[in-house]
């Protein structure tokens, strides 16, 4: 009602059942979720959306002075990333601000637990909670009543905090119809018939199109078999439910255990081209039943030597992880519109250019006849970086029915089909020679559902370069939907196991877990991180194991990680200078990672202008080909291209500027033209000049690439990033809960160009790893393969109260030989967190978590395996041996 | 069709699903899980102000349409466990909308019951079995009391039962106090029902007649839940502990298909048993589900936690 009929699209629908708070509005001044509010309950009531709370904004750029202080606080503290949940948070925070300020003076900030409680009905998948808490506290204390001291660090922040940013779900295409999919209820089914007569008879249904033939094997539950297009979404969904799907059921194996059991049903009898869950190319390997592999990643790493050494290991164990769903709050929405032979698709995607190429290829159209648009993307995390079959179906339906068609997956579809990090089972053995590691063996089994590519070894080969390693990956196919690359694919599970094993070896042998690692990390980046961490007050506690017996036990754990330097080789940007200023354009996108800010900053740095004056135009495949936003490559790809374009652009501006303004001895200076008679800023040159453009390219790093050939446009650069995370946890041994109290995270990624945005991204990665370690777990029904954790009540994203205090440190030493002096950041921030938290639980209790997530039942069972401590006195105070820093 | 009756008398004459705050019913309607007529209570309070009134005298009366957030008031200090329960359940945006009646009569949250494709395997959805029993029931009941093993979701029921609350109803015969709230849920053996309120009957409110004991000063009581996250999560186990002059009360949720008091454990604890032994004694008298046995430990931890918190009056 609010979004579709009134066109007020600031409030977002993300879960549809009142659990995420993205649709929060004020009803008679009280924040309520709109998604489950019957319209009849609003009669005669005062409803305020984010649009009504943002001041009387003029058209054009957002006037920051008209914003609510809470909005200014969100901007100043960078309390947002993708921005999709932001309007909901802001509305709630405004109500809280009002009630707090009514009872308190300026300078009085509410305590954190109070803020957390007030905002506990809101979820942010990007993990901006830490900055949100600070922003709300600051606003309540009255720190943002006046204008901001500096321009907001995120250039698209202003339109996000006032609900103006348009996501795919907000696009209103005239005469647009809505689609819903008919899906198989169970996995391992053979389709025997579809009866759509009842659905077709429903008024408002425009068409029902079959997607698969009878006899087709439907391997996982919720596979699409037909698409219904109707005048409204409600009608389409109702009609989809009215379609009868007949199937013959077979035995289901939707997890690795059942798919590997003797007599397990074969997921693939004939294997064609299988879906791929990896960002890396899938290398051929042999099959044994449902298992494929091994894929060895230890070429040249003395795998044989490692196997020999680990035949008598110092420790070995098997670590397991669960499926972590990407759960971007904006679903994989798309709209397709045909005009003659040309197709326009609005899609929530990490690759406007790549999606246009895929569509052109699949629909046999010239690329110039396909345009993909994604102005804002409400989170992605890897789930929107690959071909989505539903985009093809929607494009096809729009063409067949000659009407623009939109599809917005609901949260159930999103959690089932929107992507997940493959569950892993990882056997690790570590051999020791004296106080040093002499061999590491990792054998991994990954469940990408019907897909393959759950590789871990390719990442693990980056760690401990002087230790011989045996790295063998197996894929186990199951009756689950295809997994997709999830931020740092292979990293979080691999490091959880590897870093757990290293920590355990250190614990068993009484070695410092720091010294043990340090000896195997010759890279200067790691050495600088250890030096930084060595100055932290908690540093010495990393070697301790708490043998206390109180209810609460505190421990400090270390996790480290490394990641590749990926580059979108040849990515282009276009710089435009005209009377209105400088524009930068590229077919790239911003999913909250800060692409717009990176581009504005690059232009600012290259031309010596204020980044906030640069107009950034992205999210359109029609622009010069920019990078996909995956593999932490966006900034390191577009920034050099901006500098590449800036040279010729400046030359051209100097040339006509010196003629038009009759300058003598003109050269390009910082922010304008330096000449014999003084200095002319660019603005004056642009005011008199013709429009000038220059296209720049991402060229090879001065140091070259690690592999000279770019594969699919992706080059692997020299050098790797380094990360260490130290977590302090408190374990409640009565209620089975792990609380991460503090995190200290250091990253060595070379030069950091936008420290505020980078910090936000790092904290987000840390929060996602916390969810992975403690809370997130997809659950499938074993007998049907249907999803049981299909909403945001049963799929547990970390909330604001789970957010630790986080200290982030960037080494910030430029890496020589790299075009930007740095390496992409996003993925490495989420890789070591689960290891660090699990190691902290071990240090807190003496019990090592081997299975993620560390649920209350697992923790209690684990603690029960320890020698029984003497009974604690019933009224004992919390046992916090180290206090807080 | 959606009807908006303006009096309880009119409401009980209408057939359909009762909708009060709509926090759950609306989602079920929109997702197609609930079809058919709706009797919306939006306008009921006009002719029946007692439905929206919260009154404190020697006891406590809560109209069925009182919002959950209204229970977060210092006036409820004598029933601190109830107040804390109301502060904890759902989310801050749901609490001002959800009603006491809706919270008590809500449908349970079992993933099999609510999955559009799994209803054939769920008794409560009209199917012929309980797929959770053979499938995934990690968060389900500890006590196996009947064919259905999903837990009752009502935090308010768990809290109110701790105080010996009664419930009032209106049907075609008129209004009356129907009995103890515990009786509204039965013993958990009926797999088909979330509660035993007959069709054509409206829950009008709940009443705690019994004043807190000791009458002078506050009787200590508290509510807590065991969850993975701090807020906004369905409890694995929840409980109110009350220390009265005549003995302790352990009222728990997340443990059985109905909210219930652990009377065996209460008696054992009052006779000097440790919490662990008291819970063990309770469990010995129950049929236990293997996959949720971890809840025994959680129950012990939670009751211990609440006994600490109620060790002295606030």
């Amino acid at each position: 009602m609010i979004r579709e009929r009134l066109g007020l699209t600031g409030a977002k629908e993300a879960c549809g059942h009142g659990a995420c708070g993205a649709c929060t509005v004020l009803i008679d001044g009280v924040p309520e979720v709109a998604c489950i509010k019957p319209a009849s309950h609003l009669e005669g009531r005062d409803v305020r959306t984010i649009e009504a709370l943002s001041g009387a904004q003029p058209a054009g750029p957002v006037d920051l002075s008209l914003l609510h202080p809470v909005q200014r606080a969100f901007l100043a503290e960078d309390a947002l990333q993708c921005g999709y949940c932001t309007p909901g948070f802001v509305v709630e925070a405004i109500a809280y601000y009002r009630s707090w300020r009514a009872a308190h003076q300026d300078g009085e900030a509410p305590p954190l637990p109070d803020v957390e409680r007030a905002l506990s009905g809101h979820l942010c998948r990007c993990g901006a909670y830490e900055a949100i808490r600070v922003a709300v506290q600051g606003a309540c204390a009255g720190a943002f009543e006046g204008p901001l001291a500096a321009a907001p660090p995120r250039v698209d922040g202003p339109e996000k905090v006032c609900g103006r940013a348009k996501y795919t779900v907000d696009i209103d295409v005239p005469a647009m119809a809505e689609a819903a999919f008919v899906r198989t209820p169970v996995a391992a089914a053979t389709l025997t018939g579809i009866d759509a007569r009842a659905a077709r008879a429903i008024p408002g249904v425009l068409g029902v199109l079959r997607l698969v033939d009878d006899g087709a094997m439907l391997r996982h539950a919720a596979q699409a078999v037909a698409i219904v297009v109707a005048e409204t979404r409600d009608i389409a969904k109702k009609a989809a439910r009215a379609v009868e799907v007949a199937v013959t059921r077979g035995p289901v194996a939707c997890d690795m255990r059942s798919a590997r059991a003797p007599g397990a049903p074969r997921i693939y009898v004939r294997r064609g081209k299988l879906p791929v869950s990896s960002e890396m190319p899938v290398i051929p390997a042999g099959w044994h039943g449902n298992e494929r592999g091994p894929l060895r990643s230890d070429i040249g790493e003395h795998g044989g030597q490692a196997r020999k050494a680990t035949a008598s290991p110092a420790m070995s164990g098997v670590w397991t992880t669960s499926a972590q769903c990407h759960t971007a709050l904006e679903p994989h929405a798309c709209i397709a519109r045909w005009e003659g032979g040309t197709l326009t698709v609005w899609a929530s995607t990490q690759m406007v250019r790549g999606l246009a190429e895929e569509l052109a290829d699949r629909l046999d159209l010239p690329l110039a006849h396909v345009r993909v648009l994604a102005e804002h993307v409400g989170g992605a995390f890897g789930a929107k970086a690959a071909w989505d079959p539903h985009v093809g179906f929607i494009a096809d339906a729009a063409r067949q029915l000659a009407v623009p068609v939109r599809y917005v997956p609901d949260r159930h579809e999103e959690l089932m089909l929107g992507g997940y990090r493959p569950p892993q089972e990882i056997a690790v053995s570590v051999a020791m020679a004296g106080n040093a590691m002499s061999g590491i063996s990792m054998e991994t089994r990954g469940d990408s559902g019907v897909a393959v590519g759950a590789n871990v070894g390719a990442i693990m080969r980056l760690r401990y370069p002087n230790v011989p390693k045996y790295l063998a990956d197996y894929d186990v196919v199951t009756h689950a939907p295809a997994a997709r690359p999830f931020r740092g694919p292979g990293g979080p599970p691999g490091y959880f196991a590897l870093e757990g094993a290293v920590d355990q070896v250190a614990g068993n042998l009484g070695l410092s877990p720091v010294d043990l690692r340090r000896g195997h990390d010759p890279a200067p980046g790691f050495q600088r991180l250890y030096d930084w961490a060595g100055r932290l007050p908690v540093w010495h506690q990393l070697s301790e194991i708490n043998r206390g017996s109180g209810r609460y036990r505190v421990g400090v754990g270390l996790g480290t990680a490394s990641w590749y330097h990926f580059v979108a080789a040849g990515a282009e940007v276009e710089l435009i200078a005209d009377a209105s200023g400088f524009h930068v354009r590229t077919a790239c996108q911003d999913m909250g990672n800060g692409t717009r800010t990176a581009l504005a900053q690059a232009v600012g740095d290259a031309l010596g202008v204020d980044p906030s004056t640069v107009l950034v135009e992205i999210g359109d495949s029609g622009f010069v080909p920019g990078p996909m936003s995956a593999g932490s490559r966006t900034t390191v790809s577009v920034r050099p291209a901006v500098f590449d374009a800036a040279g010729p652009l400046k030359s051209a501006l100097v040339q006509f500027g010196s003629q038009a303004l009759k300058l003598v001895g003109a050269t390009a200076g910082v922010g304008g033209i330096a000449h014999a008679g003084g200095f002319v800023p660019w603005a004056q040159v642009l005011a008199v000049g013709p429009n000038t453009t220059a296209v720049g390219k991402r060229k090879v790093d001065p140091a070259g690439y690690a592999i000279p050939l770019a594969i699919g446009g992706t080059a692997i650069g020299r050098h790797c990033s380094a990360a260490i995370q130290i977590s302090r946890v408190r374990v409640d041994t009565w209620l089975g809960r792990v609380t991460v109290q503090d995190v200290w995270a250091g990253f060595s990624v070379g030069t950091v160009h936008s420290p505020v945005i980078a910090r936000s991204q790092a904290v987000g990665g840390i929060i996602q790893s916390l969810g992975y370690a403690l809370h997130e777990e997809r659950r499938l029904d074993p007998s049907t393969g249907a999803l049981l954790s299909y909403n945001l009540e049963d799929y547990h994203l970390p909330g604001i109260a789970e957010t630790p205090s986080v200290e982030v440190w960037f080494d910030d030493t430029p890496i020589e030989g790299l075009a930007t002096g740095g390496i992409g950041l996003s993925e490495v921030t989420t890789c070591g967190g689960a290891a660090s938290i699990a190691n902290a639980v071990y240090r807190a209790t003496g019990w090592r978590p081997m299975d993620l997530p560390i649920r209350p039942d697992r923790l209690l069972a684990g603690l029960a395996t320890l020698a029984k401590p003497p009974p604690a006195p019933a009224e004992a105070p919390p046992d916090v041996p180290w206090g807080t820093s | 069709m959606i009807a908006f009756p303006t009096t309880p008398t009119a409401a009980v004459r209408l057939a359909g699903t009762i909708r009060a705050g709509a926090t759950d019913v609306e989602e079920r309607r929109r997702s197609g899980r609930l079809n058919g007529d709706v009797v919306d209570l939006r306008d009921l309070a006009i002719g029946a102000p007692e439905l929206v009134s919260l009154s404190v005298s020697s006891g406590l009366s809560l109209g069925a349409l009182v919002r959950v957030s209204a229970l977060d008031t210092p006036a409820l200090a004598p029933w601190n466990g109830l107040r804390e329960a109301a502060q904890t359940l759902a989310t801050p945006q749901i609490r001002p909308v959800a009603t006491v009646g809706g919270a008590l009569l809500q449908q349970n949250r079992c993933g099999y019951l609510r999955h559009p494709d799994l209803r054939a395997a769920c008794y409560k959805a009209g199917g012929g079995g309980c797929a959770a029993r053979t499938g995934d029931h990690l968060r389900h009941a500890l006590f196996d009391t009947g064919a259905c093993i999903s837990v009752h979701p009502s935090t308010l029921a768990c809290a109110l039962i701790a105080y010996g609350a009664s419930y009032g109803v209106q049907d075609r015969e008129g209004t009356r106090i129907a009995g103890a709230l515990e009786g509204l849920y039965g013993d958990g053996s009926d797999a088909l029902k979330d509660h035993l309120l007959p069709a054509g009957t409206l829950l009008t409110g709940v009443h705690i007649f019994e004043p807190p004991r000791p009458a002078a000063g506050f009787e200590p009581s508290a509510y807590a839940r065991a969850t993975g996250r701090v807020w906004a999560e369905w409890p694995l186990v929840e409980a109110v502990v009350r220390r009265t002059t005549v003995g302790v009360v352990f009222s728990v949720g997340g443990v059985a298909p109905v909210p219930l008091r652990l009377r065996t454990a209460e008696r054992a604890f009052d006779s000097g048993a440790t919490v662990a032994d008291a819970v063990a004694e309770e469990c010995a008298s129950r049929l236990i589900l293997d996959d949720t046995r971890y809840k025994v430990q959680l129950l012990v931890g939670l009751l211990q936690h609440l006994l600490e918190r109620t060790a002295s009056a606030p």
Side-chain angles (χ1 to χ4, degrees):
Chain A
M1 167 83 177
I2 291 170
R3 288 175 48 80
E4 308 290 331
R5 296 212 200 137
L6 304 177
L8 297 169
T9 58
K12 298 289 186 278
E13 180 167 328
C15 73
H17 54 95
C20 76
C23 63
T24 299
V25 298
L26 294 185
I27 299 178
D28 295 334
V30 176
E32 289 186 21
V33 281
C35 68
I36 47 172
K37 196 78 184 166
S40 60
H41 287 198
L42 295 174
E43 277 177 39
R45 305 186 65 186
D46 178 89
V47 181
R48 301 284 163 114
T49 66
I50 184 72
E51 287 88 348
L53 298 165
S54 306
Q57 289 289 341
V62 175
D63 182 342
L64 302 185
S65 70
L66 298 176
L67 292 179
H68 190 278
V70 164
Q71 290 168 311
R72 280 196 291 274
F74 269 60
L75 290 174
E77 304 293 351
D78 198 38
L80 67 151
Q81 291 182 40
C82 83
Y84 198 78
C85 71
T86 307
F89 267 102
V90 167
V91 169
E92 185 87 40
I94 286 175
Y96 179 70
Y97 161 98
R98 288 175 179 168
S99 65
W100 178 265
R101 302 254 318 153
H104 299 85
Q105 309 287 321
D106 266 358
E108 278 185 65
L112 275 189
D114 223 50
V115 175
E116 288 170 353
R117 188 172 190 280
L119 299 179
S120 61
H122 293 262
L123 294 169
C124 168
R125 185 37 149 171
C126 299
Y129 298 123
E130 205 218 11
I132 290 171
R133 286 192 307 214
V134 175
V136 174
Q137 281 186 310
C140 287
F144 295 94
E145 300 298 306
L148 291 175
R154 189 175 296 267
V155 298
D156 53 7
E159 52 199 295
K160 287 177 174 175
V161 297
C162 58
R164 272 196 189 180
K166 292 283 183 198
Y167 300 80
T168 301
V169 297
D170 301 328
I171 304 296
D172 184 19
V173 175
M176 174 170 74
E178 304 272 356
F181 283 92
V182 181
R183 303 185 178 283
T184 166
V186 293
T190 308
L191 184 65
T192 56
I194 296 176
D195 184 349
R197 281 170 297 181
R200 286 202 173 91
I202 294 174
V205 171
L206 304 176
V208 181
L209 310 173
R210 194 187 240 273
L211 302 174
V212 284
D213 296 327
D214 283 354
M217 181 67 196
L218 306 169
R219 291 192 175 82
H220 62 81
Q223 195 169 325
V225 297
I227 180 170
V228 177
V229 178
E231 286 166 6
T232 71
R233 194 174 164 196
D234 283 351
I235 297 172
K237 298 202 117 188
K238 187 175 160 203
R241 289 193 292 271
V243 174
E244 291 193 28
V245 180
V247 298
T248 318
R249 292 178 61 172
V252 172
C254 62
D255 56 43
M256 285 197 278
R257 190 182 46 78
S258 44
R260 294 181 71 208
R266 287 281 288 275
I267 311 302
Y268 287 98
V269 177
R270 280 181 323 178
R271 295 177 211 100
K273 191 172 175 240
L274 266 48
V276 172
S277 68
S278 170
E279 284 174 343
M280 311 233 178
V282 168
I283 293 156
W287 284 85
H288 177 72
N290 291 320
E291 190 170 284
R292 174 186 177 276
L295 174 70
R296 293 279 295 274
S297 297
D298 51 39
I299 308 118
E301 308 244 338
H302 312 100
Q305 198 184 328
R307 285 195 95 171
K308 205 170 148 199
T310 54
S312 43
M315 81 80 54
S316 58
V318 178
W319 278 257
T320 75
T321 67
S322 297
Q324 181 186 28
C325 299
H326 295 68
T327 330
L329 287 195
E330 185 189 25
H332 286 69
C334 68
I335 305 165
R337 180 179 68 189
W338 290 86
E339 289 159 306
T342 68
L343 171 66
T344 304
V345 168
W346 290 261
S348 189
T349 178
Q350 287 169 252
M351 45 166 217
V352 284
R353 168 84 187 182
L355 185 53
E357 288 170 352
E358 282 272 3
L359 281 163
D361 189 38
R362 286 167 191 263
L363 301 171
D364 205 14
L365 292 168
L367 186 56
H369 290 191
V370 181
R371 188 178 182 199
V372 174
L373 299 169
E375 191 182 348
H376 289 279
V377 180
F381 318 112
K384 298 172 180 173
W387 170 249
D388 268 309
H390 73 242
V391 179
F393 296 143
I394 295 299
D396 216 36
R399 182 155 61 176
Q400 283 195 46
L401 300 170
V403 62
V405 177
R406 169 163 79 170
Y407 169 57
V408 180
D410 61 26
R411 189 49 54 183
H412 187 152
E413 292 174 305
E414 195 62 27
L415 283 163
M416 182 63 170
L417 305 162
Y420 63 93
R421 188 187 295 289
Q424 296 277 357
E425 189 185 294
I426 304 180
V428 186
S429 299
V430 177
M432 296 292 289
N435 287 348
M437 291 188 276
S438 58
I440 295 172
S441 154
M442 289 182 83
E443 191 170 287
T444 79
R445 284 187 170 73
D447 166 13
S448 298
V450 296
V452 294
N455 301 341
V456 172
I459 313 301
M460 295 304 108
R461 64 173 291 171
L462 298 179
R463 280 310 276 122
Y464 307 122
N466 63 12
V467 182
K469 287 186 281 292
Y470 168 73
L471 302 167
D473 291 329
Y474 293 84
D475 276 302
V476 179
V477 288
T478 64
H479 286 129
R484 297 186 186 196
F486 191 154
R487 196 172 190 175
Y495 288 120
F496 164 58
L498 175 62
E499 290 291 279
V502 171
D503 193 60
Q504 187 65 50
V505 166
N508 289 354
L509 302 181
L511 300 173
S512 148
V514 182
D515 295 344
L516 175 60
R517 287 179 174 85
R518 194 165 190 148
H520 293 292
D521 274 324
F526 266 113
Q527 293 293 322
R528 286 192 294 268
L529 291 179
Y530 288 127
D531 289 344
W532 162 73
R535 296 190 291 273
L536 296 172
V538 290
W539 183 241
H540 68 280
Q541 291 159 13
L542 285 165
S543 306
E544 298 173 17
I545 299 175
N546 184 356
R547 302 288 182 193
S549 60
R551 172 178 176 179
Y552 296 104
R553 317 223 184 122
V554 174
V556 179
L558 173 68
T560 70
S562 194
W563 195 257
Y564 287 98
H565 170 41
F566 288 123
V567 172
E572 294 179 10
V573 305
E574 183 180 18
L575 282 186
I576 300 148
D578 63 24
S580 67
F582 291 105
H583 310 223
V584 55
R585 274 185 194 158
T586 176
C588 190
Q589 50 285 314
D590 193 324
M591 318 90 60
N593 55 317
T595 305
R596 278 191 182 79
T597 307
L599 282 164
Q601 182 127 22
V603 174
D605 291 346
L607 298 173
V609 296
D610 176 357
S612 66
T613 64
V614 176
L615 182 67
V616 181
E617 295 172 280
I618 56 173
D620 185 338
S621 66
F623 296 150
V624 295
M628 75 189 305
S629 297
S632 308
R633 80 189 70 186
T634 304
T635 300
V636 296
S637 300
V638 297
R639 187 176 167 90
V642 166
F643 278 80
D644 189 46
L649 186 79
K650 284 194 278 194
S651 306
L653 291 176
V654 168
Q655 198 179 351
F656 83 70
S658 56
Q659 284 166 8
L661 302 170
K662 302 192 183 357
L663 309 176
V664 179
T667 55
V670 177
I673 299 178
H675 60 95
F679 183 81
V680 181
W682 292 127
Q684 272 184 42
V685 182
L686 302 190
V688 298
N691 294 356
T692 310
T693 71
V695 173
K697 236 186 171 105
R698 204 319 177 170
K699 298 196 171 123
V700 66
D701 281 331
Y705 293 140
I707 302 169
L709 198 69
I711 303 160
T714 300
I716 300 178
R718 294 189 187 280
H719 299 282
C720 295
S721 54
I724 71 176
Q725 179 173 332
I726 298 166
S727 306
R728 171 158 58 198
V729 303
R730 188 184 74 162
V731 176
D732 180 346
T733 61
W734 287 8
L735 300 184
R737 181 189 283 168
V738 177
T739 304
V740 183
Q741 297 178 312
D742 302 274
V743 165
W744 297 264
F747 302 102
S748 180
V749 292
T751 304
V752 174
H753 299 282
S754 307
V756 175
I757 304 294
R759 186 184 189 285
S760 295
Q761 194 173 42
V763 176
I766 290 163
I767 300 297
Q768 286 176 355
S769 74
L770 186 154
Y772 184 58
L774 300 178
H775 306 298
E776 296 183 43
E777 179 182 22
R778 180 196 65 185
R779 297 187 73 89
L780 297 177
D781 172 45
S783 72
T784 60
L787 182 66
L788 293 170
S789 50
Y790 48 75
N791 59 41
L792 293 183
E793 291 175 26
D794 295 322
Y795 187 80
H796 292 170
L797 294 177
I800 192 164
E802 276 63 61
T803 306
S805 83
V806 185
E807 184 180 325
V808 174
W809 184 75
F810 292 115
D811 159 23
D812 213 18
T813 308
I815 300 175
E816 272 182 44
L818 302 190
T820 65
I823 298 173
L825 174 68
S826 168
E827 305 190 271
V828 79
T829 62
T830 208
C831 281
S836 159
I837 290 166
N839 290 346
V841 171
Y842 167 69
R843 298 281 163 182
T845 62
W847 167 71
R848 172 161 303 283
M850 303 288 281
D851 307 290
L852 297 186
I854 309 170
R855 298 187 311 244
D857 61 299
R858 285 176 167 159
L859 179 62
L860 293 176
L863 294 172
T865 62
L866 299 171
K868 279 243 183 279
E875 318 286 341
D879 172 13
V880 187
W882 298 313
T884 53
S885 65
Chain B
M1 206 198 79
I2 303 175
F4 294 92
T6 52
T7 64
T9 319
V12 298
R13 286 171 194 280
L14 295 165
T17 303
I18 302 281
R19 185 168 83 180
T23 55
D24 183 40
V25 169
E26 185 62 8
E27 191 275 332
R28 282 159 57 208
R29 271 169 54 79
R30 287 186 45 187
S31 61
R33 284 187 270 258
L34 178 67
N35 298 298
D37 294 340
V38 167
V39 180
D40 190 300
L41 307 184
R42 183 190 68 183
D43 301 335
L44 219 52
I46 303 166
E50 67 278 7
L51 289 179
V52 289
S53 89
L54 182 161
S55 70
V56 176
S57 51
S58 67
L60 173 70
S61 275
L62 299 171
L65 294 181
V66 167
R67 308 287 166 171
V68 170
S69 57
L71 273 57
D72 183 6
T73 161
L76 256 71
W79 305 278
N80 183 54
L82 175 60
R83 184 184 180 190
E84 289 183 349
Q87 289 170 333
T88 311
L89 67 88
T91 70
Q93 301 104 299
I94 297 293
R95 295 194 287 264
V97 186
T99 63
V100 168
L104 294 176
L105 302 178
Q106 64 186 303
Q107 193 192 51
N108 89 51
R109 256 62 182 184
C110 176
Y112 289 89
L113 165 64
R114 288 174 172 245
H115 193 298
D117 299 329
L118 298 177
R119 298 170 67 83
C122 171
Y123 290 116
K124 282 193 167 69
C130 174
R133 187 178 282 277
T134 47
D136 181 354
H137 56 266
L138 182 71
R139 299 176 70 90
H140 283 57
L142 168 66
F143 297 164
D144 190 356
T145 60
C148 165
I149 57 168
S150 64
V151 296
H152 201 277
S154 181
T155 291
L156 280 193
C158 161
L160 284 161
I161 283 171
Y163 300 96
S166 302
Y167 68 106
V169 297
Q170 174 156 7
D171 55 19
R172 290 179 184 223
E173 313 295 313
T175 62
R176 64 179 182 280
I177 298 297
L181 187 62
E182 257 183 298
L184 179 58
Y185 301 104
D187 61 2
S189 59
D190 189 339
L192 302 180
K193 292 180 177 143
D194 293 305
H195 55 78
L196 307 179
L197 198 68
T201 308
L202 200 63
L203 180 79
T204 52
V206 285
H207 312 274
I208 301 174
F209 295 117
E210 194 186 351
R213 296 178 228 182
F218 288 159
E219 159 205 291
S221 67
Y223 167 88
R225 57 172 65 184
T227 49
R229 297 169 298 170
V230 179
W231 297 110
E233 185 171 314
W234 291 102
L236 295 165
V237 174
E238 61 185 333
V240 165
V241 166
R242 249 180 101 193
R243 289 183 189 257
T244 80
T245 48
V246 293
V248 74
V249 173
F250 298 149
S251 181
V252 300
V255 169
V258 291
L260 79 168
R261 276 180 61 178
L262 305 179
R263 289 193 169 81
T264 305
E266 289 171 4
R267 274 194 299 273
F269 183 79
D270 285 339
S271 322
T274 63
V275 178
D277 288 345
V279 168
E281 203 171 309
E282 179 80 43
C283 292
S285 71
R286 306 276 187 171
L287 199 57
I288 300 286
L289 276 164
D290 257 349
D291 289 357
T292 51
R293 199 172 279 279
Y294 70 93
K295 289 192 174 186
V296 174
Q297 239 176 306
L298 270 186
L299 203 48
V300 172
L302 188 65
L303 294 176
Q304 231 163 266
H305 169 76
L306 288 167
L307 285 165
E308 270 192 6
R309 287 197 46 218
T310 53
S312 54

